[in-house]
Amino acid sequence: MTAEAHRRRAFWQILLFAAGLLVLTVISAGSVYLVNKAREDSKWVVHTIEVENQVNALLLEVRRAESGARGYLLTQGENFRVDHEKAVAAIIPALDKLTRLSGDNPAQRENVEKLSAAIEIRLGQFAQEMVFIRQGQPDKAVALVREAAAQDTTTRIATVANAMIQEEERLFRLRTANSDRSQTLAASMTGIGSGLVVVLAMLSIWLVRRSTRARDEAESRLRDANVNLEAVVDERTADLREANDEIQRFAYIVSHDLRSPLVNIMGFTSELEELGGDIFRRISSLAHVPAEGAPLAPAGPGEIALEGADKQLSEDFSEALGFIKTSIAKMDRLISAILNLTREGRREFQPVKIDTRELIEAIVSTLAHQAAEAQAEIHVEPLPNLMSDRLALEQIFSNLIDNAIKYLKPGAPGEIRIRGRTKLGYAIFEISDNGRGIDPKDHQRIFDLFRRAGTQDKPGQGIGLAHVRALVRRLGGTMSVSSELNAGSTFTITLPIAWNVSNRNRDR
């Protein structure tokens, strides 16, 4: 199959996958919407039934109150009075519940207001009837009953309640139809979705089988093409190792050859300095010859008595020589550092079992004088032991602890803490301090060769941290820094607990 055919097939597979995903998304969203709508419609149907039942319950309590009052009026029976009082006590709660249930319908709210007014009047009449009966005035109670009948209070209550029931029956029919329609649509959507899912599943199975066949063919071709892959990899690895060794040899030769002309420059600079002294002493003696021609007494040994332009010229000459000597010294330090790096890069690491706490305490003891001068306290917490290269670890921790001491805040007591822990076969070391800190934008810069960050008020060539990170990487680990200006720094080193030296040396 050609590359163009592969691209076309991949395009159609992606297109089919996207279409299937879109269809499933639409079906899922539609199904969720329709199911929720059907649930909402069903809830309103139930709500309608609750309102209608509550209206009937309220009418029942009113009728019970009517029957109890009349029975009590006719027979003076205590059971009728009790039944009447229970019915009256239940009317107001039933009316309140009906008011809450009807709050969503403006028409029903208006009917509830009418019903409340009528019920309030009838309850007042009930109360007055009971008073007359208890006072032994049944004639007045009968007259009040007749008056209530003439005012049609009970009839108004029944009329308004029937109107509310008719409204709820209308809403029941409407909401039932909506609920049935929503459920039908949800079922249809589910059926269509299931059908499309089956179709997409069949298409997916077909595509998977087709891709599997293509993959098997590709794997077969790959196996044929990679029969000699191991030999090729070994050859490339050997070439890479040879190139790396050549780079190290080149760096060593270049730095070594640079030192020879640098030594010549340093020697000729010293001779130039002596020659300049002789020249300016000669100028000084000539400048002080009197008019008669007899020379003055020479100046003392090493003294040059110059004035005016000659003195300025001598000072400029000395300043220029000072700059040259400073630059030569800096170049000499850099070349020495490069030589040390190349020597370290050629050294084969040898793993030994190391008591890390003992190693770091020995380093701290060698730096005790610098720590005392900086008013710094170094705390070494329990540390995990390693199987690694001792010299490399000494260089790593010596450099980091020395930097922590060197870059503390002037005039403030320093605190340096070294702690460690293990995780998933690795040892994690943290060297933290309360020093001047490092600007976050310089966190990567400090690991670059010959690059330094912050105020340059301490001696150094910008090689230490670059060398430390190179050593950490050769030991199969990682290194990072967390710091803010004026908030201290924490260097984190992660190293394998049991380092495999054979793999690392082979990769070099």
Side-chain angles (χ1 to χ4, degrees), residues 230-244 503 505-508:
E230 186 173 353
V232 173
V233 170
D234 290 340
E235 182 181 355
R236 296 286 177 84
T237 302
D239 292 340
L240 181 61
R241 188 162 53 246
E242 183 179 353
N244 187 35
N503 291 340
N505 285 337
R506 186 173 67 249
D507 293 343
R508 292 178 58 245

Side-chain angles (χ1 to χ4, degrees), residues 195-243:
L196 288 174
V197 167
V198 172
V199 172
L200 289 173
M202 294 177 64
L203 285 174
S204 299
I205 293 172
W206 177 74
L207 286 174
V208 168
R209 294 184 62 184
R210 183 178 176 184
S211 299
T212 302
R213 287 195 299 270
R215 184 197 62 196
D216 293 339
E217 294 174 1
E219 288 179 352
S220 178
R221 291 194 299 270
L222 184 61
R223 282 193 298 270
D224 295 338
N226 292 339
V227 172
N228 298 322
L229 179 60
E230 186 173 353
V232 173
V233 170
D234 290 340
E235 182 181 355
R236 296 286 177 84
T237 302
D239 292 340
L240 181 61
R241 188 162 53 246
E242 183 179 353

Side-chain angles (χ1 to χ4, degrees), residues 116-178:
S116 298
I119 288 176
E120 185 178 356
I121 294 173
R122 191 68 186 102
L123 289 176
Q125 292 172 346
F126 283 149
Q128 191 64 39
E129 288 174 10
M130 292 297 104
V131 170
F132 286 151
I133 294 172
R134 283 194 295 270
Q135 292 176 352
Q137 299 177 352
D139 295 339
K140 291 185 178 180
V142 170
L144 190 58
V145 169
R146 291 174 179 172
E147 181 182 352
Q151 291 178 356
D152 274 344
T153 305
T154 304
T155 304
R156 274 203 312 277
I157 293 173
T159 301
V160 174
N162 289 332
M164 292 184 71
I165 292 173
Q166 291 176 3
E167 173 65 15
E168 293 303 322
E169 289 178 350
R170 183 187 69 81
L171 291 175
F172 177 79
R173 291 190 296 271
L174 177 62
R175 290 169 177 173
T176 300
N178 290 337

Side-chain angles (χ1 to χ4, degrees), residues 21 43 80 157 195 199 206 261 291 293 344 357 368 370 385 405:
L21 184 62
K43 185 184 75 172
F80 286 108
I157 293 173
V199 172
W206 177 74
E344 186 63 34
R357 183 182 177 91
Q370 293 94 310
N385 295 332
I405 297 173

Side-chain angles (χ1 to χ4, degrees), residues 341 392 395-400 403 447 463-475 479 491 493:
L341 285 177
Q395 292 176 336
I396 290 170
F397 288 110
S398 295
N399 193 290
L400 292 176
N403 280 353
F447 294 109
I463 293 178
L465 289 178
H467 183 42
V468 167
R469 186 169 67 171
L471 291 175
V472 170
R473 287 177 174 175
R474 283 195 63 191
L475 291 174
M479 180 177 181
F491 285 87
I493 297 174

Side-chain angles (χ1 to χ4, degrees), residues 18 30 45 62 85 111 133 155 171 208 210 228 252 264 268 270 291 308 311 319 345 359 361 384 455-456 468 479:
V45 170
V62 172
E85 290 178 353
N111 287 331
I133 294 172
T155 304
L171 291 175
V208 168
R210 183 178 176 184
N228 298 322
Y252 179 80
N264 291 332
F268 282 111
S270 298
K311 183 178 181 181
E319 183 180 6
L359 181 141
E361 286 179 345
T455 305
Q456 307 300 316
V468 167
M479 180 177 181

